[in-house]
Amino acid sequence: MEIRRISSARLKERLDKERSFALLDVRERGEYNAGHIPGATSLPRRDIEFRLARLLPVATVPVVAVGAGDAREERAAAVLMCAGYANVALLQGGFGAWRESGYPTATGVNVPSKAFGEIIHGDCEVREMTPEELASRLRRGETPVIIDVRTPEEYGRFCIPGGVNIPGGDLILWAEELKAASKKPIIVNCAGRTRGIIGAQTLTLLGVADACALKNGTMGWVLAGLDLERPHRTATEASNSSRAAAERYAAELAAAEKIPFVSVSEMEALLSQTRETLYPIDVRSPEEYSSGHIPGYFSLPGGQAVQCADDYIALRSGRIVFASERASRAVMAAYWFRKMGFSASVLDGGTEAWAAQGLEIEKGFPRESVLGLNEARATVRLISGGELENMRAHNDEFLVVDVGLSLEYQRGHVPGAVWIARDWLEERLPELYPDRRQSVVCACPDGRQSLLAAASLAEIGYVDVRVLDGGTNEWTTSGRPVETGFTRPLVESNDVVLSASLSGDKEAMRRYLAWEVELVRKDLVR
């Protein structure tokens, strides 16, 4: 299968003139974070089979894959082509060749969304309150309204003292109630800058007075020498009257901004077609989505969607149709995505209108299709946790290879297991274990990555490859012994990019915040 190549000059020309192809960076997440082509979607080799169908639902879309100029990129391109994506080209020489040509580069993750946040900050003159000023107000006994717009999981780790969690996509539901509290300052925070800025501007758009962003969020609070707290509050649900007002505000905003609506019948037809790249996104909370959603829609809460658009939308010319229970939260998401330059519309009447027409509502979270997984399952042998434990007890000659994320491996793995990123599997394992008769057991948390890894090893000639049935999750829940720490890596861990807000490293926080502010000067969105 011959892989076509494209030069850096030709790719630059295409990027300057068109939006009708997908640019996928297939290196590991850490490599992408250190430097990438602006506008590229990060799709590491280990994620291709899991995310490709959602990122690029139409296989005729042209794809340019960017690697490191090594054998890994060729394997990634081969996976794309085997999945039916016939129009695939590799960047000649990989990202290194692009950088050496002097073309623009970016560092970090979710750059377009974060740069967009900084543009909104400047263009809309979003007001801010410093951590020092907020702390002073709290010491004086004032009771400002502090809204933490991060996910509930993030909020659950720590928050600004007194902060209440309202995920950013839900702010419109609370706008009417927050207006009643407008005599108090309303401070919106996230971990850093983007979601706080967007949240504060959202409330301002909806007529909530005195809304401002907490400058630099929880990281700014820590850098000011102030203490975070473990939250002990949860926001109650917005009142019915505030939710009704949200629908009125959404209708006014949609009319003013000319946000298009899609009828239920039109959406039904769109979901059944296979020609146009469609991104049907349900912006409600995961709990609401699980309780009942439109088949074919995937869950991405609105407030989080704005800050990580490139992780979900690989084709900028693709069509996005947002849905919520009625329209308010979907309109708010469409408003921000259209400001970012996407083609975004709203399902008229949302899931309620869909259900009212007697159409199917699906519950739970759909099991995403994984390319090649069924084929691997049909050919690879499984080994139970009990059988593996018995092999360990008898000192049988075998090798356990963990292909989960490095952080997952550190949290707990089968004792004695080595770790390798799936990107490097076919290259490094034969170097270190050249005897293809070596017994190998592949493992990962849920058993899916290890199935694909085992199939790859079988393809390159390993004759005794098995997969730990149920993965390390089942191994652990069965009470079997677990080893922790990064004990036996075969390659450098470059597969995970840790948030500066979780690191506790103040210098890392300062660098991150300076990076966000600098993005606006690099013209990465306009």
Side-chain angles (χ1 to χ4, degrees), residues 6 8-19 21-23 37-40 64 66 98 103-104:
I6 181 173
S8 294
R10 175 59 182 141
L11 176 57
K12 178 66 166 59
E13 182 183 347
R14 290 187 68 180
L15 287 170
D16 288 343
K17 292 182 178 179
E18 59 178 293
R19 293 156 45 102
F21 71 98
L23 182 63
I37 300 173
V64 176
V66 181
W98 174 273
Y103 296 131

mmCIF file with all atom_site columns, all heavy atoms in Angstrom, residues 6 8-19 21-23 37-40 64 66 98 103-104:
data_model
loop_
_atom_site.group_PDB
_atom_site.id
_atom_site.type_symbol
_atom_site.label_atom_id
_atom_site.label_alt_id
_atom_site.label_comp_id
_atom_site.label_asym_id
_atom_site.label_entity_id
_atom_site.label_seq_id
_atom_site.pdbx_PDB_ins_code
_atom_site.Cartn_x
_atom_site.Cartn_y
_atom_site.Cartn_z
_atom_site.occupancy
_atom_site.B_iso_or_equiv
_atom_site.pdbx_formal_charge
_atom_site.auth_seq_id
_atom_site.auth_comp_id
_atom_site.auth_asym_id
_atom_site.auth_atom_id
_atom_site.pdbx_PDB_model_num
ATOM 1   N N   . ILE A 1 6   ? 3.366   14.756 0.781  1.00 0.00 ? 6   ILE A N   1
ATOM 2   C CA  . ILE A 1 6   ? 3.118   16.145 0.415  1.00 0.00 ? 6   ILE A CA  1
ATOM 3   C C   . ILE A 1 6   ? 4.217   16.995 1.040  1.00 0.00 ? 6   ILE A C   1
ATOM 4   O O   . ILE A 1 6   ? 4.631   16.744 2.180  1.00 0.00 ? 6   ILE A O   1
ATOM 5   C CB  . ILE A 1 6   ? 1.719   16.607 0.901  1.00 0.00 ? 6   ILE A CB  1
ATOM 6   C CG1 . ILE A 1 6   ? 1.442   18.054 0.492  1.00 0.00 ? 6   ILE A CG1 1
ATOM 7   C CG2 . ILE A 1 6   ? 1.559   16.444 2.405  1.00 0.00 ? 6   ILE A CG2 1
ATOM 8   C CD1 . ILE A 1 6   ? 0.013   18.512 0.804  1.00 0.00 ? 6   ILE A CD1 1
ATOM 9   N N   . SER A 1 8   ? 6.145   20.400 2.584  1.00 0.00 ? 8   SER A N   1
ATOM 10  C CA  . SER A 1 8   ? 5.740   21.461 3.510  1.00 0.00 ? 8   SER A CA  1
ATOM 11  C C   . SER A 1 8   ? 5.211   22.674 2.757  1.00 0.00 ? 8   SER A C   1
ATOM 12  O O   . SER A 1 8   ? 4.231   23.300 3.164  1.00 0.00 ? 8   SER A O   1
ATOM 13  C CB  . SER A 1 8   ? 6.931   21.874 4.392  1.00 0.00 ? 8   SER A CB  1
ATOM 14  O OG  . SER A 1 8   ? 7.321   20.816 5.249  1.00 0.00 ? 8   SER A OG  1
ATOM 15  N N   . ALA A 1 9   ? 5.848   23.008 1.625  1.00 0.00 ? 9   ALA A N   1
ATOM 16  C CA  . ALA A 1 9   ? 5.404   24.163 0.846  1.00 0.00 ? 9   ALA A CA  1
ATOM 17  C C   . ALA A 1 9   ? 3.991   23.960 0.310  1.00 0.00 ? 9   ALA A C   1
ATOM 18  O O   . ALA A 1 9   ? 3.152   24.873 0.349  1.00 0.00 ? 9   ALA A O   1
ATOM 19  C CB  . ALA A 1 9   ? 6.370   24.407 -0.314 1.00 0.00 ? 9   ALA A CB  1
ATOM 20  N N   . ARG A 1 10  ? 3.718   22.746 -0.170 1.00 0.00 ? 10  ARG A N   1
ATOM 21  C CA  . ARG A 1 10  ? 2.376   22.468 -0.700 1.00 0.00 ? 10  ARG A CA  1
ATOM 22  C C   . ARG A 1 10  ? 1.339   22.473 0.416  1.00 0.00 ? 10  ARG A C   1
ATOM 23  O O   . ARG A 1 10  ? 0.236   22.989 0.241  1.00 0.00 ? 10  ARG A O   1
ATOM 24  C CB  . ARG A 1 10  ? 2.393   21.114 -1.413 1.00 0.00 ? 10  ARG A CB  1
ATOM 25  C CG  . ARG A 1 10  ? 1.038   20.650 -1.914 1.00 0.00 ? 10  ARG A CG  1
ATOM 26  C CD  . ARG A 1 10  ? 0.417   21.617 -2.892 1.00 0.00 ? 10  ARG A CD  1
ATOM 27  N NE  . ARG A 1 10  ? -0.892  21.158 -3.318 1.00 0.00 ? 10  ARG A NE  1
ATOM 28  C CZ  . ARG A 1 10  ? -1.943  21.944 -3.514 1.00 0.00 ? 10  ARG A CZ  1
ATOM 29  N NH1 . ARG A 1 10  ? -1.847  23.253 -3.308 1.00 0.00 ? 10  ARG A NH1 1
ATOM 30  N NH2 . ARG A 1 10  ? -3.093  21.442 -3.917 1.00 0.00 ? 10  ARG A NH2 1
ATOM 31  N N   . LEU A 1 11  ? 1.699   21.931 1.574  1.00 0.00 ? 11  LEU A N   1
ATOM 32  C CA  . LEU A 1 11  ? 0.762   21.946 2.698  1.00 0.00 ? 11  LEU A CA  1
ATOM 33  C C   . LEU A 1 11  ? 0.476   23.368 3.137  1.00 0.00 ? 11  LEU A C   1
ATOM 34  O O   . LEU A 1 11  ? -0.681  23.720 3.414  1.00 0.00 ? 11  LEU A O   1
ATOM 35  C CB  . LEU A 1 11  ? 1.327   21.139 3.868  1.00 0.00 ? 11  LEU A CB  1
ATOM 36  C CG  . LEU A 1 11  ? 0.488   21.158 5.158  1.00 0.00 ? 11  LEU A CG  1
ATOM 37  C CD1 . LEU A 1 11  ? -0.930  20.649 4.903  1.00 0.00 ? 11  LEU A CD1 1
ATOM 38  C CD2 . LEU A 1 11  ? 1.155   20.332 6.250  1.00 0.00 ? 11  LEU A CD2 1
ATOM 39  N N   . LYS A 1 12  ? 1.494   24.204 3.189  1.00 0.00 ? 12  LYS A N   1
ATOM 40  C CA  . LYS A 1 12  ? 1.291   25.610 3.577  1.00 0.00 ? 12  LYS A CA  1
ATOM 41  C C   . LYS A 1 12  ? 0.344   26.302 2.603  1.00 0.00 ? 12  LYS A C   1
ATOM 42  O O   . LYS A 1 12  ? -0.566  27.048 3.009  1.00 0.00 ? 12  LYS A O   1
ATOM 43  C CB  . LYS A 1 12  ? 2.633   26.347 3.596  1.00 0.00 ? 12  LYS A CB  1
ATOM 44  C CG  . LYS A 1 12  ? 2.533   27.840 3.942  1.00 0.00 ? 12  LYS A CG  1
ATOM 45  C CD  . LYS A 1 12  ? 2.076   28.048 5.367  1.00 0.00 ? 12  LYS A CD  1
ATOM 46  C CE  . LYS A 1 12  ? 2.296   29.478 5.848  1.00 0.00 ? 12  LYS A CE  1
ATOM 47  N NZ  . LYS A 1 12  ? 1.607   30.499 5.065  1.00 0.00 ? 12  LYS A NZ  1
ATOM 48  N N   . GLU A 1 13  ? 0.497   26.019 1.334  1.00 0.00 ? 13  GLU A N   1
ATOM 49  C CA  . GLU A 1 13  ? -0.378  26.599 0.317  1.00 0.00 ? 13  GLU A CA  1
ATOM 50  C C   . GLU A 1 13  ? -1.825  26.159 0.522  1.00 0.00 ? 13  GLU A C   1
ATOM 51  O O   . GLU A 1 13  ? -2.754  26.977 0.455  1.00 0.00 ? 13  GLU A O   1
ATOM 52  C CB  . GLU A 1 13  ? 0.118   26.173 -1.063 1.00 0.00 ? 13  GLU A CB  1
ATOM 53  C CG  . GLU A 1 13  ? -0.680  26.750 -2.222 1.00 0.00 ? 13  GLU A CG  1
ATOM 54  C CD  . GLU A 1 13  ? -0.170  26.235 -3.569 1.00 0.00 ? 13  GLU A CD  1
ATOM 55  O OE1 . GLU A 1 13  ? 0.924   25.649 -3.615 1.00 0.00 ? 13  GLU A OE1 1
ATOM 56  O OE2 . GLU A 1 13  ? -0.896  26.411 -4.569 1.00 0.00 ? 13  GLU A OE2 1
ATOM 57  N N   . ARG A 1 14  ? -2.017  24.884 0.815  1.00 0.00 ? 14  ARG A N   1
ATOM 58  C CA  . ARG A 1 14  ? -3.375  24.372 1.036  1.00 0.00 ? 14  ARG A CA  1
ATOM 59  C C   . ARG A 1 14  ? -3.993  24.987 2.297  1.00 0.00 ? 14  ARG A C   1
ATOM 60  O O   . ARG A 1 14  ? -5.180  25.343 2.312  1.00 0.00 ? 14  ARG A O   1
ATOM 61  C CB  . ARG A 1 14  ? -3.358  22.854 1.133  1.00 0.00 ? 14  ARG A CB  1
ATOM 62  C CG  . ARG A 1 14  ? -3.067  22.141 -0.166 1.00 0.00 ? 14  ARG A CG  1
ATOM 63  C CD  . ARG A 1 14  ? -3.222  20.638 -0.035 1.00 0.00 ? 14  ARG A CD  1
ATOM 64  N NE  . ARG A 1 14  ? -4.617  20.251 0.176  1.00 0.00 ? 14  ARG A NE  1
ATOM 65  C CZ  . ARG A 1 14  ? -5.031  18.998 0.322  1.00 0.00 ? 14  ARG A CZ  1
ATOM 66  N NH1 . ARG A 1 14  ? -4.134  18.011 0.292  1.00 0.00 ? 14  ARG A NH1 1
ATOM 67  N NH2 . ARG A 1 14  ? -6.299  18.712 0.495  1.00 0.00 ? 14  ARG A NH2 1
ATOM 68  N N   . LEU A 1 15  ? -3.210  25.088 3.348  1.00 0.00 ? 15  LEU A N   1
ATOM 69  C CA  . LEU A 1 15  ? -3.723  25.668 4.592  1.00 0.00 ? 15  LEU A CA  1
ATOM 70  C C   . LEU A 1 15  ? -4.132  27.124 4.406  1.00 0.00 ? 15  LEU A C   1
ATOM 71  O O   . LEU A 1 15  ? -5.090  27.593 5.028  1.00 0.00 ? 15  LEU A O   1
ATOM 72  C CB  . LEU A 1 15  ? -2.665  25.563 5.693  1.00 0.00 ? 15  LEU A CB  1
ATOM 73  C CG  . LEU A 1 15  ? -2.431  24.166 6.274  1.00 0.00 ? 15  LEU A CG  1
ATOM 74  C CD1 . LEU A 1 15  ? -1.196  24.160 7.170  1.00 0.00 ? 15  LEU A CD1 1
ATOM 75  C CD2 . LEU A 1 15  ? -3.655  23.691 7.060  1.00 0.00 ? 15  LEU A CD2 1
ATOM 76  N N   . ASP A 1 16  ? -3.439  27.828 3.558  1.00 0.00 ? 16  ASP A N   1
ATOM 77  C CA  . ASP A 1 16  ? -3.745  29.243 3.321  1.00 0.00 ? 16  ASP A CA  1
ATOM 78  C C   . ASP A 1 16  ? -4.999  29.425 2.475  1.00 0.00 ? 16  ASP A C   1
ATOM 79  O O   . ASP A 1 16  ? -5.640  30.481 2.545  1.00 0.00 ? 16  ASP A O   1
ATOM 80  C CB  . ASP A 1 16  ? -2.569  29.929 2.608  1.00 0.00 ? 16  ASP A CB  1
ATOM 81  C CG  . ASP A 1 16  ? -1.371  30.140 3.519  1.00 0.00 ? 16  ASP A CG  1
ATOM 82  O OD1 . ASP A 1 16  ? -1.552  30.063 4.750  1.00 0.00 ? 16  ASP A OD1 1
ATOM 83  O OD2 . ASP A 1 16  ? -0.260  30.372 2.995  1.00 0.00 ? 16  ASP A OD2 1
ATOM 84  N N   . LYS A 1 17  ? -5.368  28.402 1.700  1.00 0.00 ? 17  LYS A N   1
ATOM 85  C CA  . LYS A 1 17  ? -6.431  28.592 0.719  1.00 0.00 ? 17  LYS A CA  1
ATOM 86  C C   . LYS A 1 17  ? -7.707  27.814 0.992  1.00 0.00 ? 17  LYS A C   1
ATOM 87  O O   . LYS A 1 17  ? -8.762  28.157 0.453  1.00 0.00 ? 17  LYS A O   1
ATOM 88  C CB  . LYS A 1 17  ? -5.913  28.203 -0.672 1.00 0.00 ? 17  LYS A CB  1
ATOM 89  C CG  . LYS A 1 17  ? -4.851  29.147 -1.218 1.00 0.00 ? 17  LYS A CG  1
ATOM 90  C CD  . LYS A 1 17  ? -4.419  28.722 -2.606 1.00 0.00 ? 17  LYS A CD  1
ATOM 91  C CE  . LYS A 1 17  ? -3.383  29.679 -3.184 1.00 0.00 ? 17  LYS A CE  1
ATOM 92  N NZ  . LYS A 1 17  ? -2.937  29.250 -4.534 1.00 0.00 ? 17  LYS A NZ  1
ATOM 93  N N   . GLU A 1 18  ? -7.656  26.737 1.785  1.00 0.00 ? 18  GLU A N   1
ATOM 94  C CA  . GLU A 1 18  ? -8.851  25.892 1.894  1.00 0.00 ? 18  GLU A CA  1
ATOM 95  C C   . GLU A 1 18  ? -9.035  25.344 3.304  1.00 0.00 ? 18  GLU A C   1
ATOM 96  O O   . GLU A 1 18  ? -8.121  25.350 4.116  1.00 0.00 ? 18  GLU A O   1
ATOM 97  C CB  . GLU A 1 18  ? -8.781  24.734 0.887  1.00 0.00 ? 18  GLU A CB  1
ATOM 98  C CG  . GLU A 1 18  ? -7.567  23.835 1.062  1.00 0.00 ? 18  GLU A CG  1
ATOM 99  C CD  . GLU A 1 18  ? -7.558  22.675 0.087  1.00 0.00 ? 18  GLU A CD  1
ATOM 100 O OE1 . GLU A 1 18  ? -8.444  21.810 0.213  1.00 0.00 ? 18  GLU A OE1 1
ATOM 101 O OE2 . GLU A 1 18  ? -6.662  22.640 -0.787 1.00 0.00 ? 18  GLU A OE2 1
ATOM 102 N N   . ARG A 1 19  ? -10.266 24.893 3.555  1.00 0.00 ? 19  ARG A N   1
ATOM 103 C CA  . ARG A 1 19  ? -10.628 24.300 4.837  1.00 0.00 ? 19  ARG A CA  1
ATOM 104 C C   . ARG A 1 19  ? -11.233 22.913 4.659  1.00 0.00 ? 19  ARG A C   1
ATOM 105 O O   . ARG A 1 19  ? -11.767 22.338 5.599  1.00 0.00 ? 19  ARG A O   1
ATOM 106 C CB  . ARG A 1 19  ? -11.680 25.174 5.535  1.00 0.00 ? 19  ARG A CB  1
ATOM 107 C CG  . ARG A 1 19  ? -11.200 26.529 5.974  1.00 0.00 ? 19  ARG A CG  1
ATOM 108 C CD  . ARG A 1 19  ? -12.361 27.512 6.095  1.00 0.00 ? 19  ARG A CD  1
ATOM 109 N NE  . ARG A 1 19  ? -13.535 26.983 6.767  1.00 0.00 ? 19  ARG A NE  1
ATOM 110 C CZ  . ARG A 1 19  ? -13.848 27.251 8.031  1.00 0.00 ? 19  ARG A CZ  1
ATOM 111 N NH1 . ARG A 1 19  ? -13.062 28.009 8.756  1.00 0.00 ? 19  ARG A NH1 1
ATOM 112 N NH2 . ARG A 1 19  ? -14.936 26.765 8.572  1.00 0.00 ? 19  ARG A NH2 1
ATOM 113 N N   . PHE A 1 21  ? -9.960  19.917 4.111  1.00 0.00 ? 21  PHE A N   1
ATOM 114 C CA  . PHE A 1 21  ? -9.221  18.699 4.417  1.00 0.00 ? 21  PHE A CA  1
ATOM 115 C C   . PHE A 1 21  ? -8.884  18.704 5.902  1.00 0.00 ? 21  PHE A C   1
ATOM 116 O O   . PHE A 1 21  ? -8.904  19.750 6.576  1.00 0.00 ? 21  PHE A O   1
ATOM 117 C CB  . PHE A 1 21  ? -7.954  18.579 3.565  1.00 0.00 ? 21  PHE A CB  1
ATOM 118 C CG  . PHE A 1 21  ? -6.860  19.561 3.925  1.00 0.00 ? 21  PHE A CG  1
ATOM 119 C CD1 . PHE A 1 21  ? -5.808  19.180 4.747  1.00 0.00 ? 21  PHE A CD1 1
ATOM 120 C CD2 . PHE A 1 21  ? -6.882  20.860 3.441  1.00 0.00 ? 21  PHE A CD2 1
ATOM 121 C CE1 . PHE A 1 21  ? -4.804  20.074 5.082  1.00 0.00 ? 21  PHE A CE1 1
ATOM 122 C CE2 . PHE A 1 21  ? -5.883  21.769 3.760  1.00 0.00 ? 21  PHE A CE2 1
ATOM 123 C CZ  . PHE A 1 21  ? -4.841  21.373 4.587  1.00 0.00 ? 21  PHE A CZ  1
ATOM 124 N N   . ALA A 1 22  ? -8.599  17.522 6.422  1.00 0.00 ? 22  ALA A N   1
ATOM 125 C CA  . ALA A 1 22  ? -8.268  17.378 7.833  1.00 0.00 ? 22  ALA A CA  1
ATOM 126 C C   . ALA A 1 22  ? -6.761  17.258 7.997  1.00 0.00 ? 22  ALA A C   1
ATOM 127 O O   . ALA A 1 22  ? -6.100  16.526 7.258  1.00 0.00 ? 22  ALA A O   1
ATOM 128 C CB  . ALA A 1 22  ? -8.949  16.147 8.414  1.00 0.00 ? 22  ALA A CB  1
ATOM 129 N N   . LEU A 1 23  ? -6.227  17.979 8.962  1.00 0.00 ? 23  LEU A N   1
ATOM 130 C CA  . LEU A 1 23  ? -4.807  17.933 9.286  1.00 0.00 ? 23  LEU A CA  1
ATOM 131 C C   . LEU A 1 23  ? -4.661  17.231 10.633 1.00 0.00 ? 23  LEU A C   1
ATOM 132 O O   . LEU A 1 23  ? -5.068  17.754 11.667 1.00 0.00 ? 23  LEU A O   1
ATOM 133 C CB  . LEU A 1 23  ? -4.231  19.347 9.337  1.00 0.00 ? 23  LEU A CB  1
ATOM 134 C CG  . LEU A 1 23  ? -2.727  19.475 9.615  1.00 0.00 ? 23  LEU A CG  1
ATOM 135 C CD1 . LEU A 1 23  ? -1.923  18.829 8.493  1.00 0.00 ? 23  LEU A CD1 1
ATOM 136 C CD2 . LEU A 1 23  ? -2.340  20.948 9.761  1.00 0.00 ? 23  LEU A CD2 1
ATOM 137 N N   . ILE A 1 37  ? 1.864   22.086 13.944 1.00 0.00 ? 37  ILE A N   1
ATOM 138 C CA  . ILE A 1 37  ? 1.370   23.013 12.924 1.00 0.00 ? 37  ILE A CA  1
ATOM 139 C C   . ILE A 1 37  ? 0.059   23.613 13.408 1.00 0.00 ? 37  ILE A C   1
ATOM 140 O O   . ILE A 1 37  ? -0.849  22.872 13.806 1.00 0.00 ? 37  ILE A O   1
ATOM 141 C CB  . ILE A 1 37  ? 1.160   22.283 11.588 1.00 0.00 ? 37  ILE A CB  1
ATOM 142 C CG1 . ILE A 1 37  ? 2.490   21.686 11.100 1.00 0.00 ? 37  ILE A CG1 1
ATOM 143 C CG2 . ILE A 1 37  ? 0.580   23.232 10.536 1.00 0.00 ? 37  ILE A CG2 1
ATOM 144 C CD1 . ILE A 1 37  ? 2.340   20.803 9.875  1.00 0.00 ? 37  ILE A CD1 1
ATOM 145 N N   . PRO A 1 38  ? -0.091  24.936 13.410 1.00 0.00 ? 38  PRO A N   1
ATOM 146 C CA  . PRO A 1 38  ? -1.350  25.541 13.857 1.00 0.00 ? 38  PRO A CA  1
ATOM 147 C C   . PRO A 1 38  ? -2.537  24.977 13.079 1.00 0.00 ? 38  PRO A C   1
ATOM 148 O O   . PRO A 1 38  ? -2.494  24.853 11.857 1.00 0.00 ? 38  PRO A O   1
ATOM 149 C CB  . PRO A 1 38  ? -1.145  27.031 13.553 1.00 0.00 ? 38  PRO A CB  1
ATOM 150 C CG  . PRO A 1 38  ? 0.334   27.226 13.616 1.00 0.00 ? 38  PRO A CG  1
ATOM 151 C CD  . PRO A 1 38  ? 0.918   25.954 13.062 1.00 0.00 ? 38  PRO A CD  1
ATOM 152 N N   . GLY A 1 39  ? -3.567  24.608 13.824 1.00 0.00 ? 39  GLY A N   1
ATOM 153 C CA  . GLY A 1 39  ? -4.770  24.060 13.208 1.00 0.00 ? 39  GLY A CA  1
ATOM 154 C C   . GLY A 1 39  ? -4.795  22.559 13.131 1.00 0.00 ? 39  GLY A C   1
ATOM 155 O O   . GLY A 1 39  ? -5.830  21.978 12.768 1.00 0.00 ? 39  GLY A O   1
ATOM 156 N N   . ALA A 1 40  ? -3.704  21.893 13.464 1.00 0.00 ? 40  ALA A N   1
ATOM 157 C CA  . ALA A 1 40  ? -3.680  20.427 13.414 1.00 0.00 ? 40  ALA A CA  1
ATOM 158 C C   . ALA A 1 40  ? -4.433  19.843 14.601 1.00 0.00 ? 40  ALA A C   1
ATOM 159 O O   . ALA A 1 40  ? -4.324  20.338 15.726 1.00 0.00 ? 40  ALA A O   1
ATOM 160 C CB  . ALA A 1 40  ? -2.239  19.920 13.412 1.00 0.00 ? 40  ALA A CB  1
ATOM 161 N N   . VAL A 1 64  ? -4.341  14.958 5.651  1.00 0.00 ? 64  VAL A N   1
ATOM 162 C CA  . VAL A 1 64  ? -2.889  15.079 5.689  1.00 0.00 ? 64  VAL A CA  1
ATOM 163 C C   . VAL A 1 64  ? -2.449  14.710 7.095  1.00 0.00 ? 64  VAL A C   1
ATOM 164 O O   . VAL A 1 64  ? -2.906  15.314 8.073  1.00 0.00 ? 64  VAL A O   1
ATOM 165 C CB  . VAL A 1 64  ? -2.407  16.499 5.332  1.00 0.00 ? 64  VAL A CB  1
ATOM 166 C CG1 . VAL A 1 64  ? -0.884  16.592 5.488  1.00 0.00 ? 64  VAL A CG1 1
ATOM 167 C CG2 . VAL A 1 64  ? -2.817  16.865 3.913  1.00 0.00 ? 64  VAL A CG2 1
ATOM 168 N N   . VAL A 1 66  ? 0.538   14.268 9.934  1.00 0.00 ? 66  VAL A N   1
ATOM 169 C CA  . VAL A 1 66  ? 1.840   14.829 10.292 1.00 0.00 ? 66  VAL A CA  1
ATOM 170 C C   . VAL A 1 66  ? 2.448   13.962 11.378 1.00 0.00 ? 66  VAL A C   1
ATOM 171 O O   . VAL A 1 66  ? 1.835   13.750 12.430 1.00 0.00 ? 66  VAL A O   1
ATOM 172 C CB  . VAL A 1 66  ? 1.707   16.277 10.807 1.00 0.00 ? 66  VAL A CB  1
ATOM 173 C CG1 . VAL A 1 66  ? 3.079   16.841 11.160 1.00 0.00 ? 66  VAL A CG1 1
ATOM 174 C CG2 . VAL A 1 66  ? 1.003   17.152 9.788  1.00 0.00 ? 66  VAL A CG2 1
ATOM 175 N N   . TRP A 1 98  ? 8.643   20.758 8.457  1.00 0.00 ? 98  TRP A N   1
ATOM 176 C CA  . TRP A 1 98  ? 7.810   21.968 8.482  1.00 0.00 ? 98  TRP A CA  1
ATOM 177 C C   . TRP A 1 98  ? 8.492   23.076 9.282  1.00 0.00 ? 98  TRP A C   1
ATOM 178 O O   . TRP A 1 98  ? 8.594   24.218 8.841  1.00 0.00 ? 98  TRP A O   1
ATOM 179 C CB  . TRP A 1 98  ? 6.455   21.637 9.091  1.00 0.00 ? 98  TRP A CB  1
ATOM 180 C CG  . TRP A 1 98  ? 5.550   22.815 9.307  1.00 0.00 ? 98  TRP A CG  1
ATOM 181 C CD1 . TRP A 1 98  ? 5.517   23.636 10.401 1.00 0.00 ? 98  TRP A CD1 1
ATOM 182 C CD2 . TRP A 1 98  ? 4.547   23.325 8.406  1.00 0.00 ? 98  TRP A CD2 1
ATOM 183 N NE1 . TRP A 1 98  ? 4.561   24.611 10.235 1.00 0.00 ? 98  TRP A NE1 1
ATOM 184 C CE2 . TRP A 1 98  ? 3.962   24.445 9.024  1.00 0.00 ? 98  TRP A CE2 1
ATOM 185 C CE3 . TRP A 1 98  ? 4.109   22.920 7.144  1.00 0.00 ? 98  TRP A CE3 1
ATOM 186 C CZ2 . TRP A 1 98  ? 2.939   25.164 8.429  1.00 0.00 ? 98  TRP A CZ2 1
ATOM 187 C CZ3 . TRP A 1 98  ? 3.082   23.643 6.540  1.00 0.00 ? 98  TRP A CZ3 1
ATOM 188 C CH2 . TRP A 1 98  ? 2.513   24.753 7.176  1.00 0.00 ? 98  TRP A CH2 1
ATOM 189 N N   . TYR A 1 103 ? 8.013   27.802 8.605  1.00 0.00 ? 103 TYR A N   1
ATOM 190 C CA  . TYR A 1 103 ? 6.577   28.076 8.649  1.00 0.00 ? 103 TYR A CA  1
ATOM 191 C C   . TYR A 1 103 ? 6.092   28.175 10.101 1.00 0.00 ? 103 TYR A C   1
ATOM 192 O O   . TYR A 1 103 ? 6.761   27.698 11.022 1.00 0.00 ? 103 TYR A O   1
ATOM 193 C CB  . TYR A 1 103 ? 5.812   26.991 7.897  1.00 0.00 ? 103 TYR A CB  1
ATOM 194 C CG  . TYR A 1 103 ? 6.128   26.941 6.418  1.00 0.00 ? 103 TYR A CG  1
ATOM 195 C CD1 . TYR A 1 103 ? 6.452   25.737 5.788  1.00 0.00 ? 103 TYR A CD1 1
ATOM 196 C CD2 . TYR A 1 103 ? 6.106   28.105 5.647  1.00 0.00 ? 103 TYR A CD2 1
ATOM 197 C CE1 . TYR A 1 103 ? 6.748   25.693 4.441  1.00 0.00 ? 103 TYR A CE1 1
ATOM 198 C CE2 . TYR A 1 103 ? 6.398   28.067 4.291  1.00 0.00 ? 103 TYR A CE2 1
ATOM 199 C CZ  . TYR A 1 103 ? 6.722   26.862 3.697  1.00 0.00 ? 103 TYR A CZ  1
ATOM 200 O OH  . TYR A 1 103 ? 7.020   26.834 2.356  1.00 0.00 ? 103 TYR A OH  1
ATOM 201 N N   . PRO A 1 104 ? 4.921   28.789 10.318 1.00 0.00 ? 104 PRO A N   1
ATOM 202 C CA  . PRO A 1 104 ? 4.438   29.007 11.699 1.00 0.00 ? 104 PRO A CA  1
ATOM 203 C C   . PRO A 1 104 ? 4.272   27.693 12.462 1.00 0.00 ? 104 PRO A C   1
ATOM 204 O O   . PRO A 1 104 ? 3.868   26.667 11.899 1.00 0.00 ? 104 PRO A O   1
ATOM 205 C CB  . PRO A 1 104 ? 3.087   29.696 11.499 1.00 0.00 ? 104 PRO A CB  1
ATOM 206 C CG  . PRO A 1 104 ? 3.163   30.314 10.140 1.00 0.00 ? 104 PRO A CG  1
ATOM 207 C CD  . PRO A 1 104 ? 4.016   29.391 9.322  1.00 0.00 ? 104 PRO A CD  1
#
